[in-house]
Amino acid sequence: MKFGILVNEGPYQHQASDTAYLFCKAVLAQGHEIFRVFFYHDGVNNASRLTEPPQDDRNIVARWSKLAEEHGVDLVVCVAAALRRGIKDENLAPGFRISGLGQLVEAGIQADRLVTFGD
Amino acid sequence: MLHIVNKSPFSSQALDSCVQVAPGGDLLLIEDGVYAASSGTVADNFMRDIMKRFRVFALGPDLEARGLADRLIDGITPVDYAGFVDLVARNKTCQSWL
Amino acid sequence: MSEEPGIKKFMFVNRKAPYGTVYALEALEVVLITAAFDQDVSLAFLDDGVFQLRKGQQTKGIETKNFSPTYRALEGYDIEKLYVEKEALAARGLTEDDLLVDVTVLDRKALGVLMDEQDVILSF
């Protein structure tokens, strides 16, 4: 089964991004496919490679990048929401790409399920 | 259909709205939503009422993180993230009551 | 599922008031994009979401863009299914006349039935 994921909150502020990540890992572990993870609203902040959490904390951004690297998960950041919040290609973490809202709608059409994580 | 609630019933109307609108189905409590799954609170009777119409699940890791694992209301099923995925897979649609 | 192949029923569920947070505005932006994909689109306004449709919004004083006229433009994008929760209006002292666009007012039960018929639900 193909899953689409929508992440609407930024890292560290709200649990939404952690839950979404752990959900994605479980999706893959069960042999399902992730069509796309789309980051919207403050969720775009998950893509900033400038984040530097303390050593004893989880690295949320790096975790997403690793998911993209190891499983080829498509991580898409909404361009309009990203520009509003200062996320651009020059500070984008590996594995993420910036694109339009059409990518979210496409995920809704193509995926069998779309799950929203937010506040 | 799967309804997902991630807000405490003590600070948000999300769970209340969800169960008033939805006719029934599966209800999964995650994040701060798991406080509704805890017995002995003022929301206890409300939750037991909900369980007459909904199959209620609570995300185990969220219960454990909040120290609630031993206070789960009888009849609410704890699930892990794999169980969360199964719930999404076996329902045609899901709605997060943000 | 929708009758026509390749077309899904998308419902946007709005439960938050405008301006206090950005969700209402950015939800509307998704709705406008979805219109270009020829899907079966509807919007539902529940709880504080009904405040998004309040007539007479004046945002000069908070130096924020007033996006409420966009709801009136939705018809031009063939988005005509706007559902508003009856109980939410009543609880907030509003009637259909207080809203800036034509809507269908439904009680909670009817909204719940409609939600069950959707293929994709996006909630903001």
Side-chain angles (χ1 to χ4, degrees):
Chain A
M1 188 171 264
K2 271 189 282 186
F3 284 72
I5 310 290
L6 172 61
V7 181
N8 286 340
E9 294 300 324
Y12 305 107
Q13 175 76 17
H14 192 285
Q15 200 187 340
S17 159
D18 292 287
T19 308
Y21 167 76
L22 293 166
F23 182 85
C24 285
K25 287 231 305 187
V27 165
L28 296 168
Q30 279 171 265
H32 296 298
E33 189 188 325
I34 295 177
F35 178 78
R36 178 169 296 147
V37 183
F38 192 85
F39 297 88
Y40 196 40
H41 302 295
D42 273 359
V44 300
N45 290 317
N46 281 282
S48 170
R49 67 175 174 82
L50 300 177
T51 54
E52 282 180 42
Q55 293 247 318
D56 61 351
D57 200 353
R58 75 254 190 245
N59 190 323
I60 294 179
V61 176
R63 259 183 352 192
W64 284 120
S65 291
K66 201 167 158 229
L67 202 68
E69 189 190 332
E70 291 178 355
H71 301 277
V73 175
D74 190 20
L75 307 177
V76 179
V77 179
C78 169
V79 61
L83 291 178
R84 273 191 184 117
R85 294 164 177 85
I87 303 291
K88 296 182 165 189
D89 279 326
E90 50 261 45
N91 59 348
L92 203 63
F96 289 87
R97 62 188 179 92
I98 294 178
S99 190
L101 274 172
Q103 299 275 307
L104 168 60
V105 183
E106 194 197 18
I109 295 169
Q110 298 295 332
D112 301 299
R113 299 287 184 273
L114 184 68
V115 191
T116 303
F117 296 90
D119 187 15
Chain B
M1 164 168 183
L2 173 65
H3 298 274
I4 303 168
V5 173
N6 72 340
K7 299 287 189 306
S8 163
F10 311 113
S11 65
S12 160
Q13 228 190 307
L15 177 61
D16 196 45
S17 294
C18 166
V19 299
Q20 298 217 37
V21 170
D26 288 346
L27 168 63
L28 173 65
L29 304 167
I30 67 168
E31 300 171 357
D32 285 351
V34 299
Y35 287 112
S38 179
S39 62
T41 73
V42 294
D44 194 312
N45 282 337
F46 173 57
M47 199 65 234
R48 288 175 203 273
D49 232 33
I50 291 171
M51 288 162 65
K52 291 173 189 162
R53 281 194 293 131
F54 293 83
R55 281 178 299 276
V56 183
F57 304 85
L59 196 56
D62 281 331
L63 288 166
E64 288 158 18
R66 289 161 177 80
L68 300 176
D70 60 346
R71 297 199 54 181
L72 189 63
I73 293 175
D74 272 350
I76 295 182
T77 311
V79 293
D80 56 11
Y81 288 97
F84 185 174
V85 172
D86 288 338
L87 279 171
V88 173
R90 71 167 187 246
N91 281 277
K92 195 191 88 172
T93 47
C94 64
Q95 181 179 359
S96 300
W97 290 78
L98 303 176
Chain C
M1 296 291 282
S2 306
E3 287 77 19
E4 287 181 68
I7 293 184
K8 281 189 172 182
K9 281 166 129 36
F10 274 72
M11 177 177 268
F12 292 88
V13 177
N14 299 282
R15 295 185 48 248
K16 296 189 173 108
Y19 310 117
T21 56
V22 77
Y23 301 105
L25 168 65
E26 288 190 335
L28 197 51
E29 290 180 354
V30 185
V31 171
L32 293 173
I33 298 292
T34 308
F37 283 78
D38 293 324
Q39 302 295 302
D40 182 348
V41 177
S42 60
L43 277 70
F45 297 87
L46 281 69
D47 298 321
D48 278 354
V50 302
F51 287 134
Q52 295 179 25
L53 301 179
R54 182 77 168 95
K55 263 181 198 166
Q57 298 175 31
Q58 302 284 347
T59 60
K60 250 196 193 111
I62 60 168
E63 298 191 10
T64 300
K65 183 179 159 193
N66 178 0
F67 58 91
S68 64
T70 311
Y71 296 103
R72 279 202 296 266
L74 290 176
E75 206 182 351
Y77 291 87
D78 290 327
I79 295 173
E80 290 163 342
K81 289 185 247 183
L82 274 63
Y83 304 107
V84 172
E85 184 199 339
K86 187 180 167 191
E87 290 87 346
L89 280 181
R92 287 158 183 80
L94 299 173
T95 68
E96 223 176 314
D97 291 339
D98 295 310
L99 306 182
L100 49 75
V101 68
D102 286 339
V103 299
T104 305
V105 177
L106 295 175
D107 64 24
R108 284 169 173 164
K109 293 275 169 271
L111 277 168
V113 170
L114 212 54
M115 279 175 186
D116 266 349
E117 294 169 1
Q118 304 301 312
D119 297 307
V120 181
I121 296 182
L122 283 154
S123 30
F124 294 102

mmCIF file of all heavy atoms in Angstrom, chain C residues 20-53:
data_model
loop_
_atom_site.group_PDB
_atom_site.id
_atom_site.type_symbol
_atom_site.label_atom_id
_atom_site.label_comp_id
_atom_site.label_asym_id
_atom_site.label_seq_id
_atom_site.Cartn_x
_atom_site.Cartn_y
_atom_site.Cartn_z
ATOM 1 N N GLY C 20 -5.274 34.339 14.068
ATOM 2 C CA GLY C 20 -4.565 33.917 15.283
ATOM 3 C C GLY C 20 -3.445 32.954 14.954
ATOM 4 O O GLY C 20 -2.384 32.963 15.578
ATOM 5 N N THR C 21 -3.692 32.107 13.960
ATOM 6 C CA THR C 21 -2.658 31.212 13.424
ATOM 7 C C THR C 21 -2.779 31.224 11.901
ATOM 8 O O THR C 21 -3.769 31.710 11.347
ATOM 9 C CB THR C 21 -2.830 29.754 13.912
ATOM 10 O OG1 THR C 21 -4.144 29.309 13.577
ATOM 11 C CG2 THR C 21 -2.622 29.643 15.425
ATOM 12 N N VAL C 22 -1.799 30.670 11.232
ATOM 13 C CA VAL C 22 -1.730 30.752 9.766
ATOM 14 C C VAL C 22 -2.518 29.631 9.073
ATOM 15 O O VAL C 22 -2.669 29.626 7.859
ATOM 16 C CB VAL C 22 -0.251 30.716 9.305
ATOM 17 C CG1 VAL C 22 0.309 29.290 9.374
ATOM 18 C CG2 VAL C 22 -0.092 31.300 7.900
ATOM 19 N N TYR C 23 -3.044 28.668 9.847
ATOM 20 C CA TYR C 23 -3.629 27.475 9.232
ATOM 21 C C TYR C 23 -4.743 27.778 8.215
ATOM 22 O O TYR C 23 -4.799 27.163 7.162
ATOM 23 C CB TYR C 23 -4.156 26.523 10.313
ATOM 24 C CG TYR C 23 -3.069 26.075 11.261
ATOM 25 C CD1 TYR C 23 -2.987 26.593 12.548
ATOM 26 C CD2 TYR C 23 -2.104 25.162 10.849
ATOM 27 C CE1 TYR C 23 -1.977 26.197 13.418
ATOM 28 C CE2 TYR C 23 -1.088 24.761 11.705
ATOM 29 C CZ TYR C 23 -1.026 25.280 12.985
ATOM 30 O OH TYR C 23 -0.024 24.897 13.822
ATOM 31 N N ALA C 24 -5.632 28.721 8.552
ATOM 32 C CA ALA C 24 -6.758 29.005 7.663
ATOM 33 C C ALA C 24 -6.272 29.519 6.313
ATOM 34 O O ALA C 24 -6.725 29.061 5.257
ATOM 35 C CB ALA C 24 -7.693 30.028 8.314
ATOM 36 N N LEU C 25 -5.320 30.440 6.346
ATOM 37 C CA LEU C 25 -4.784 31.007 5.103
ATOM 38 C C LEU C 25 -4.090 29.933 4.264
ATOM 39 O O LEU C 25 -4.342 29.785 3.071
ATOM 40 C CB LEU C 25 -3.789 32.142 5.416
ATOM 41 C CG LEU C 25 -2.937 32.618 4.234
ATOM 42 C CD1 LEU C 25 -3.789 33.268 3.149
ATOM 43 C CD2 LEU C 25 -1.867 33.612 4.694
ATOM 44 N N GLU C 26 -3.215 29.163 4.917
ATOM 45 C CA GLU C 26 -2.459 28.180 4.135
ATOM 46 C C GLU C 26 -3.355 27.011 3.677
ATOM 47 O O GLU C 26 -3.077 26.384 2.665
ATOM 48 C CB GLU C 26 -1.211 27.725 4.908
ATOM 49 C CG GLU C 26 -0.170 28.868 4.943
ATOM 50 C CD GLU C 26 1.218 28.470 5.472
ATOM 51 O OE1 GLU C 26 1.344 27.517 6.239
ATOM 52 O OE2 GLU C 26 2.182 29.152 5.092
ATOM 53 N N ALA C 27 -4.439 26.753 4.403
ATOM 54 C CA ALA C 27 -5.405 25.744 3.947
ATOM 55 C C ALA C 27 -6.063 26.212 2.656
ATOM 56 O O ALA C 27 -6.231 25.445 1.705
ATOM 57 C CB ALA C 27 -6.464 25.491 5.017
ATOM 58 N N LEU C 28 -6.413 27.483 2.641
ATOM 59 C CA LEU C 28 -7.057 28.058 1.459
ATOM 60 C C LEU C 28 -6.124 27.978 0.241
ATOM 61 O O LEU C 28 -6.564 27.749 -0.888
ATOM 62 C CB LEU C 28 -7.432 29.515 1.770
ATOM 63 C CG LEU C 28 -8.441 30.216 0.881
ATOM 64 C CD1 LEU C 28 -9.707 29.399 0.691
ATOM 65 C CD2 LEU C 28 -8.776 31.593 1.462
ATOM 66 N N GLU C 29 -4.842 28.135 0.480
ATOM 67 C CA GLU C 29 -3.873 28.038 -0.619
ATOM 68 C C GLU C 29 -3.859 26.626 -1.214
ATOM 69 O O GLU C 29 -3.746 26.459 -2.426
ATOM 70 C CB GLU C 29 -2.475 28.476 -0.141
ATOM 71 C CG GLU C 29 -2.432 29.984 0.133
ATOM 72 C CD GLU C 29 -1.080 30.509 0.624
ATOM 73 O OE1 GLU C 29 -0.166 29.698 0.867
ATOM 74 O OE2 GLU C 29 -0.948 31.750 0.755
ATOM 75 N N VAL C 30 -3.999 25.617 -0.361
ATOM 76 C CA VAL C 30 -4.058 24.239 -0.878
ATOM 77 C C VAL C 30 -5.340 24.029 -1.681
ATOM 78 O O VAL C 30 -5.336 23.396 -2.733
ATOM 79 C CB VAL C 30 -4.009 23.190 0.262
ATOM 80 C CG1 VAL C 30 -3.938 21.779 -0.321
ATOM 81 C CG2 VAL C 30 -2.819 23.417 1.169
ATOM 82 N N VAL C 31 -6.442 24.585 -1.175
ATOM 83 C CA VAL C 31 -7.724 24.434 -1.865
ATOM 84 C C VAL C 31 -7.632 24.989 -3.286
ATOM 85 O O VAL C 31 -8.065 24.344 -4.253
ATOM 86 C CB VAL C 31 -8.843 25.162 -1.082
ATOM 87 C CG1 VAL C 31 -10.129 25.195 -1.892
ATOM 88 C CG2 VAL C 31 -9.077 24.486 0.261
ATOM 89 N N LEU C 32 -7.020 26.160 -3.421
ATOM 90 C CA LEU C 32 -6.916 26.795 -4.742
ATOM 91 C C LEU C 32 -6.082 25.944 -5.709
ATOM 92 O O LEU C 32 -6.405 25.816 -6.884
ATOM 93 C CB LEU C 32 -6.303 28.201 -4.622
ATOM 94 C CG LEU C 32 -7.179 29.210 -3.877
ATOM 95 C CD1 LEU C 32 -6.425 30.507 -3.650
ATOM 96 C CD2 LEU C 32 -8.475 29.484 -4.648
ATOM 97 N N ILE C 33 -5.017 25.347 -5.199
ATOM 98 C CA ILE C 33 -4.175 24.486 -6.045
ATOM 99 C C ILE C 33 -4.941 23.215 -6.437
ATOM 100 O O ILE C 33 -4.881 22.752 -7.574
ATOM 101 C CB ILE C 33 -2.873 24.097 -5.302
ATOM 102 C CG1 ILE C 33 -2.027 25.337 -4.978
ATOM 103 C CG2 ILE C 33 -2.066 23.080 -6.111
ATOM 104 C CD1 ILE C 33 -1.414 26.038 -6.159
ATOM 105 N N THR C 34 -5.690 22.671 -5.476
ATOM 106 C CA THR C 34 -6.433 21.436 -5.738
ATOM 107 C C THR C 34 -7.440 21.628 -6.870
ATOM 108 O O THR C 34 -7.709 20.702 -7.641
ATOM 109 C CB THR C 34 -7.150 20.948 -4.460
ATOM 110 O OG1 THR C 34 -6.199 20.883 -3.397
ATOM 111 C CG2 THR C 34 -7.747 19.560 -4.650
ATOM 112 N N ALA C 35 -7.963 22.849 -6.976
ATOM 113 C CA ALA C 35 -8.942 23.149 -8.029
ATOM 114 C C ALA C 35 -8.377 22.847 -9.418
ATOM 115 O O ALA C 35 -9.103 22.452 -10.326
ATOM 116 C CB ALA C 35 -9.367 24.611 -7.938
ATOM 117 N N ALA C 36 -7.054 22.992 -9.563
ATOM 118 C CA ALA C 36 -6.425 22.779 -10.870
ATOM 119 C C ALA C 36 -6.305 21.298 -11.220
ATOM 120 O O ALA C 36 -5.974 20.948 -12.347
ATOM 121 C CB ALA C 36 -5.042 23.428 -10.885
ATOM 122 N N PHE C 37 -6.575 20.418 -10.257
ATOM 123 C CA PHE C 37 -6.388 18.979 -10.497
ATOM 124 C C PHE C 37 -7.688 18.243 -10.848
ATOM 125 O O PHE C 37 -7.721 17.024 -10.943
ATOM 126 C CB PHE C 37 -5.754 18.312 -9.264
ATOM 127 C CG PHE C 37 -4.278 18.562 -9.141
ATOM 128 C CD1 PHE C 37 -3.790 19.780 -8.670
ATOM 129 C CD2 PHE C 37 -3.358 17.579 -9.501
ATOM 130 C CE1 PHE C 37 -2.426 20.019 -8.557
ATOM 131 C CE2 PHE C 37 -1.993 17.808 -9.389
ATOM 132 C CZ PHE C 37 -1.522 19.032 -8.927
ATOM 133 N N ASP C 38 -8.769 19.005 -11.054
ATOM 134 C CA ASP C 38 -10.054 18.415 -11.445
ATOM 135 C C ASP C 38 -10.522 17.299 -10.524
ATOM 136 O O ASP C 38 -10.944 16.241 -10.985
ATOM 137 C CB ASP C 38 -9.985 17.897 -12.892
ATOM 138 C CG ASP C 38 -9.824 19.042 -13.880
ATOM 139 O OD1 ASP C 38 -10.412 20.107 -13.624
ATOM 140 O OD2 ASP C 38 -9.095 18.871 -14.873
ATOM 141 N N GLN C 39 -10.416 17.517 -9.235
ATOM 142 C CA GLN C 39 -10.921 16.541 -8.276
ATOM 143 C C GLN C 39 -12.275 17.020 -7.754
ATOM 144 O O GLN C 39 -12.698 18.135 -8.023
ATOM 145 C CB GLN C 39 -9.928 16.377 -7.116
ATOM 146 C CG GLN C 39 -8.540 15.943 -7.539
ATOM 147 C CD GLN C 39 -8.526 14.545 -8.140
ATOM 148 O OE1 GLN C 39 -8.925 13.584 -7.500
ATOM 149 N NE2 GLN C 39 -8.078 14.427 -9.383
ATOM 150 N N ASP C 40 -12.953 16.147 -7.013
ATOM 151 C CA ASP C 40 -14.231 16.510 -6.410
ATOM 152 C C ASP C 40 -13.939 17.144 -5.038
ATOM 153 O O ASP C 40 -13.689 16.439 -4.073
ATOM 154 C CB ASP C 40 -15.078 15.237 -6.275
ATOM 155 C CG ASP C 40 -16.454 15.508 -5.687
ATOM 156 O OD1 ASP C 40 -16.678 16.627 -5.171
ATOM 157 O OD2 ASP C 40 -17.299 14.610 -5.726
ATOM 158 N N VAL C 41 -13.936 18.481 -5.002
ATOM 159 C CA VAL C 41 -13.466 19.192 -3.807
ATOM 160 C C VAL C 41 -14.624 19.747 -2.979
ATOM 161 O O VAL C 41 -15.553 20.343 -3.520
ATOM 162 C CB VAL C 41 -12.533 20.362 -4.207
ATOM 163 C CG1 VAL C 41 -12.110 21.148 -2.978
ATOM 164 C CG2 VAL C 41 -11.315 19.842 -4.955
ATOM 165 N N SER C 42 -14.554 19.553 -1.674
ATOM 166 C CA SER C 42 -15.497 20.236 -0.790
ATOM 167 C C SER C 42 -14.753 20.789 0.424
ATOM 168 O O SER C 42 -13.656 20.339 0.750
ATOM 169 C CB SER C 42 -16.608 19.281 -0.336
ATOM 170 O OG SER C 42 -16.061 18.193 0.367
ATOM 171 N N LEU C 43 -15.357 21.802 1.043
ATOM 172 C CA LEU C 43 -14.783 22.405 2.242
ATOM 173 C C LEU C 43 -15.793 22.275 3.372
ATOM 174 O O LEU C 43 -16.984 22.502 3.166
ATOM 175 C CB LEU C 43 -14.490 23.899 2.033
ATOM 176 C CG LEU C 43 -13.188 24.295 1.342
ATOM 177 C CD1 LEU C 43 -13.245 23.922 -0.129
ATOM 178 C CD2 LEU C 43 -12.954 25.801 1.472
ATOM 179 N N ALA C 44 -15.303 21.913 4.542
ATOM 180 C CA ALA C 44 -16.177 21.856 5.711
ATOM 181 C C ALA C 44 -15.625 22.796 6.775
ATOM 182 O O ALA C 44 -14.417 22.832 7.019
ATOM 183 C CB ALA C 44 -16.254 20.432 6.248
ATOM 184 N N PHE C 45 -16.519 23.580 7.363
ATOM 185 C CA PHE C 45 -16.117 24.521 8.418
ATOM 186 C C PHE C 45 -16.785 24.099 9.721
ATOM 187 O O PHE C 45 -18.009 24.125 9.838
ATOM 188 C CB PHE C 45 -16.512 25.947 8.034
ATOM 189 C CG PHE C 45 -15.822 26.429 6.788
ATOM 190 C CD1 PHE C 45 -16.360 26.171 5.527
ATOM 191 C CD2 PHE C 45 -14.619 27.117 6.860
ATOM 192 C CE1 PHE C 45 -15.710 26.598 4.377
ATOM 193 C CE2 PHE C 45 -13.963 27.545 5.710
ATOM 194 C CZ PHE C 45 -14.504 27.279 4.467
ATOM 195 N N LEU C 46 -15.959 23.682 10.666
ATOM 196 C CA LEU C 46 -16.452 23.200 11.952
ATOM 197 C C LEU C 46 -15.842 24.055 13.066
ATOM 198 O O LEU C 46 -14.796 24.687 12.872
ATOM 199 C CB LEU C 46 -16.030 21.750 12.187
ATOM 200 C CG LEU C 46 -16.788 20.614 11.499
ATOM 201 C CD1 LEU C 46 -16.555 20.612 9.999
ATOM 202 C CD2 LEU C 46 -16.337 19.277 12.065
ATOM 203 N N ASP C 47 -16.480 24.008 14.226
ATOM 204 C CA ASP C 47 -15.930 24.699 15.397
ATOM 205 C C ASP C 47 -15.508 26.133 15.049
ATOM 206 O O ASP C 47 -16.204 26.814 14.316
ATOM 207 C CB ASP C 47 -14.773 23.879 16.001
ATOM 208 C CG ASP C 47 -15.245 22.502 16.481
ATOM 209 O OD1 ASP C 47 -16.358 22.430 17.038
ATOM 210 O OD2 ASP C 47 -14.523 21.520 16.288
ATOM 211 N N ASP C 48 -14.330 26.575 15.502
ATOM 212 C CA ASP C 48 -13.898 27.953 15.222
ATOM 213 C C ASP C 48 -13.644 28.202 13.731
ATOM 214 O O ASP C 48 -13.464 29.343 13.316
ATOM 215 C CB ASP C 48 -12.617 28.267 16.008
ATOM 216 C CG ASP C 48 -12.915 28.673 17.448
ATOM 217 O OD1 ASP C 48 -14.104 28.825 17.802
ATOM 218 O OD2 ASP C 48 -11.946 28.851 18.218
ATOM 219 N N GLY C 49 -13.617 27.159 12.935
ATOM 220 C CA GLY C 49 -13.437 27.328 11.486
ATOM 221 C C GLY C 49 -14.521 28.191 10.869
ATOM 222 O O GLY C 49 -14.294 28.855 9.847
ATOM 223 N N VAL C 50 -15.706 28.226 11.484
ATOM 224 C CA VAL C 50 -16.795 29.041 10.919
ATOM 225 C C VAL C 50 -16.433 30.528 10.940
ATOM 226 O O VAL C 50 -16.938 31.298 10.121
ATOM 227 C CB VAL C 50 -18.152 28.820 11.644
ATOM 228 C CG1 VAL C 50 -18.569 27.354 11.583
ATOM 229 C CG2 VAL C 50 -18.121 29.303 13.076
ATOM 230 N N PHE C 51 -15.549 30.933 11.841
ATOM 231 C CA PHE C 51 -15.134 32.346 11.897
ATOM 232 C C PHE C 51 -14.382 32.778 10.636
ATOM 233 O O PHE C 51 -14.292 33.966 10.323
ATOM 234 C CB PHE C 51 -14.251 32.595 13.124
ATOM 235 C CG PHE C 51 -14.994 32.594 14.437
ATOM 236 C CD1 PHE C 51 -14.493 31.891 15.523
ATOM 237 C CD2 PHE C 51 -16.177 33.307 14.589
ATOM 238 C CE1 PHE C 51 -15.163 31.897 16.746
ATOM 239 C CE2 PHE C 51 -16.857 33.325 15.810
ATOM 240 C CZ PHE C 51 -16.346 32.608 16.887
ATOM 241 N N GLN C 52 -13.834 31.818 9.902
ATOM 242 C CA GLN C 52 -13.135 32.162 8.658
ATOM 243 C C GLN C 52 -14.082 32.852 7.671
ATOM 244 O O GLN C 52 -13.659 33.654 6.850
ATOM 245 C CB GLN C 52 -12.550 30.902 7.997
ATOM 246 C CG GLN C 52 -11.458 30.234 8.820
ATOM 247 C CD GLN C 52 -10.920 28.970 8.143
ATOM 248 O OE1 GLN C 52 -10.997 28.818 6.932
ATOM 249 N NE2 GLN C 52 -10.366 28.067 8.931
ATOM 250 N N LEU C 53 -15.380 32.499 7.758
ATOM 251 C CA LEU C 53 -16.350 32.984 6.772
ATOM 252 C C LEU C 53 -17.133 34.207 7.247
ATOM 253 O O LEU C 53 -18.058 34.654 6.591
ATOM 254 C CB LEU C 53 -17.337 31.855 6.425
ATOM 255 C CG LEU C 53 -16.709 30.577 5.854
ATOM 256 C CD1 LEU C 53 -17.795 29.538 5.585
ATOM 257 C CD2 LEU C 53 -15.954 30.884 4.569
#
